[in-house]
Amino acid sequence: MSDLRRSIARARWRNARAPILLLVCAVIPVVILCGVFGFYFTLAQRDNLDKGIRDRTERLASAIAHELSTQVQLLTILSESPRLDPPLQKAEFARIGERLTQRVPSWQMLRITGPDGSVELTVPPSKMDGTGQKVVDAASHAAVVRTGKPTIGAVVLGPRGLPAFPVRVAVIRGGQVVYGLTSVIRPSAIEAVIQKNGLPRDWAGWIVDGTGKLVVSTFTDVGSIARPATDAVTLDMRGSGALQTGNLRDGRQVRVGAVPIEGTDWTIYVGMPASAYAATVSSGLTLLMATALVTVLLSCVAAFLFLRELAARRRDEAAVASWQRVDALGKLTGGLAHDFNNLLMVFQSASESIRRRPDDLNRVNRILDGMTEAVMRGKTLTQRLLSFSRRSNQDAVTTRIADQLPLLKDSLRQAAQELVALKFDFAAGLWPTKI
């Protein structure tokens, strides 16, 4: 019973082997295509991440530019106040300035300066008022006086060591710049704009002014502001596309997008954690490697099934060939039986002739010669039969068909009977054949 079950299982496996092979061969290109599409989908995700960094950077740059533009507009409106007509009405302007600094929290102080950069008035009052002391950021003040256009100055450290940057507009009377009007703003006001626009907690954002100093940073303390930005972050300019790779002072690596802020010489940088970026690329490579592994495994399975199927086909072909040989042998034995019957008839006829006239030696010798020839023919037929049964060709000889067939003419004509006409027609120069 167990042998029967094993035979049934082997038969089922033989029947299922070819469909399984076809299925595996059909799945392999599908797996490869899925892997390739998945890899390119991962690349598209990476591009989307880069685009998200650029979009967020541009959005923050626009928000900060809008905030600074608002500050400039407020100062421009204030610069038209009659209290700023020469001579400067300090007391009246101081009262206005105090109310404005209360209404505009980002203004740490208002300051009026002369064309030469000397401090005329500060709200709230400062020890620098009327002493002839010059402004700290002389470059931006000189630019306002020279062009008459609003200017966002560089971040500097004030007398108390606190960082701030000036927003300056010109007070123009009679086509001449008579004063400079400045609002001093703490960097924290710009940082609040960054946070308000939804910068993720694990992202980094910072602004660098035209002198290379750090204006705002979401990942450092106040002590880093107004100092070289390279002390807090280093950028690898070899980043792909418009993006760069940055290494923060706290050890994190970020994918950085940079956009200049309109109306200033500032540049804002936004960095996404490189780990999140690398995870996307790593997932694509992992998918590609998994696809390659699955493809190799399926290919091995297909090769195994193919070899098994090929071996089975060869066994089947061998079985068919064996059957054909048996069939041919059956036909051959029929022909041989006929030939041997003819030989036996020769011997029977010869023996009867010898009995009738045993004293005629010449006739007996002729009969014996015929019997010997018949024996040789039988020997030849037997050797060919044995060679065929052993699948051997060692007794084959090279001969010309055109020379041998005429010798068999009588036998062939006898086998073909009278209804078939035999005609031998051999081409000239027919090559020899091994039989």
Side-chain angles (χ1 to χ4, degrees):
M1 190 67 179
S2 59
D3 293 340
L4 178 59
R5 290 178 179 177
R6 283 195 293 269
S7 300
I8 294 175
R10 284 195 294 269
R12 289 178 177 176
W13 165 243
R14 284 195 300 270
N15 294 333
R17 192 163 52 222
I20 292 176
L21 177 59
L22 293 175
L23 179 62
V24 171
C25 292
V27 169
I28 288 175
V30 175
V31 172
I32 294 175
L33 287 176
C34 290
V36 172
F37 288 151
F39 179 72
Y40 281 104
F41 176 73
T42 303
L43 293 181
Q45 284 185 316
R46 186 190 65 179
D47 293 339
N48 288 334
L49 289 177
D50 286 346
K51 184 177 182 299
I53 295 172
R54 288 191 294 266
D55 291 345
R56 190 177 294 275
T57 306
E58 291 173 356
R59 187 164 60 249
L60 287 176
S62 177
I64 293 172
H66 180 268
E67 176 67 20
L68 294 175
S69 176
T70 301
Q71 302 294 338
V72 169
Q73 290 176 4
L74 290 175
L75 283 179
T76 301
I77 294 172
L78 183 59
S79 69
E80 299 296 330
S81 173
R83 274 69 174 179
L84 295 178
D85 294 342
L88 179 61
Q89 303 175 35
K90 294 183 179 182
E92 288 80 359
F93 185 81
R95 287 193 294 270
I96 296 175
E98 289 176 357
R99 290 196 295 268
L100 285 175
T101 53
Q102 293 175 359
R103 298 288 299 272
V104 185
S106 59
W107 287 1
Q108 294 299 306
M109 65 176 63
L110 287 174
R111 177 168 287 167
I112 299 175
T113 56
D116 59 352
S118 60
V119 178
E120 298 291 339
L121 176 64
T122 302
V123 180
S126 171
K127 296 179 180 180
M128 299 176 63
D129 295 349
T131 62
Q133 292 189 32
K134 305 295 184 179
V135 295
V136 178
D137 182 17
S140 62
H141 183 275
V144 167
V145 174
R146 183 178 66 255
T147 63
K149 296 180 180 180
T151 300
I152 308 298
V155 63
V156 295
L157 293 176
R160 292 181 292 176
L162 296 177
F165 64 90
V167 178
R168 305 185 189 276
V169 298
V171 179
I172 301 174
R173 298 294 186 269
Q176 298 293 326
V177 177
V178 295
Y179 299 113
L181 179 59
T182 302
S183 65
V184 178
I185 300 176
R186 299 293 184 200
S188 57
I190 303 301
E191 183 178 355
V193 175
I194 294 177
Q195 299 296 348
K196 183 180 178 180
N197 280 270
L199 185 69
R201 294 178 61 86
D202 57 341
W203 287 42
W206 67 97
I207 298 175
V208 179
D209 64 16
T211 64
K213 294 181 180 179
L214 201 61
V215 178
V216 173
S217 171
T218 62
F219 60 91
T220 60
D221 53 23
V222 179
S224 300
I225 306 302
R227 300 186 184 280
T230 53
D231 294 345
V233 60
T234 57
L235 295 179
D236 184 359
M237 303 304 293
R238 294 173 297 178
S240 61
L243 302 184
Q244 308 164 31
T245 299
N247 296 299
L248 305 184
R249 190 171 63 181
D250 58 10
R252 289 184 296 162
Q253 192 175 58
V254 291
R255 181 82 169 167
V256 182
V259 174
I261 299 176
E262 185 180 0
T264 70
D265 59 358
W266 294 0
T267 302
I268 182 170
Y269 297 86
V270 173
M272 182 188 76
S275 57
Y277 186 84
T280 302
V281 178
S282 177
S283 63
L285 294 177
T286 302
L287 178 61
L288 192 62
M289 292 177 62
T291 301
L293 180 60
V294 172
T295 302
V296 170
L297 291 177
L298 290 177
S299 299
C300 292
V301 172
F304 172 76
L305 293 175
F306 176 77
L307 293 177
R308 291 291 298 271
E309 187 67 19
L310 183 62
R313 292 292 179 88
R314 287 176 177 174
R315 288 195 298 269
D316 293 342
E317 291 174 357
V320 172
S322 178
W323 176 83
Q324 291 175 341
R325 295 177 72 88
V326 171
D327 181 68
L329 183 60
K331 295 179 180 179
L332 179 63
T333 53
L336 289 174
H338 180 73
D339 290 340
F340 274 107
N341 185 58
N342 292 336
L343 293 176
L344 293 174
M345 291 297 295
V346 169
F347 279 94
Q348 182 180 6
S349 175
S351 63
E352 291 176 355
S353 297
I354 293 175
R355 286 193 185 97
R356 285 195 302 270
R357 301 169 60 181
D359 298 331
D360 191 349
L361 296 180
N362 291 330
R363 185 169 177 273
V364 169
N365 288 333
R366 288 196 303 272
I367 292 173
L368 291 176
D369 290 339
M371 294 175 67
T372 301
E373 182 181 356
V375 169
M376 295 305 297
R377 288 178 61 189
K379 179 181 178 181
T380 301
L381 290 174
T382 303
Q383 288 177 345
R384 290 180 179 177
L385 181 61
L386 291 174
S387 177
F388 180 82
S389 65
R390 291 194 300 265
R391 303 182 184 180
S392 172
N393 200 28
Q394 60 181 2
D395 295 331
V397 296
T398 302
T399 184
R400 292 182 179 274
I401 300 295
D403 297 337
Q404 297 297 326
L405 284 182
L407 300 178
L408 301 175
K409 183 182 297 183
D410 294 338
S411 298
L412 293 175
R413 183 173 289 111
Q414 181 180 359
Q417 298 180 358
E418 297 179 355
L419 298 177
V420 178
L422 291 178
K423 181 180 180 181
F424 297 93
D425 185 9
F426 301 104
L430 186 67
W431 56 81
T433 305
K434 194 172 184 180
I435 303 177

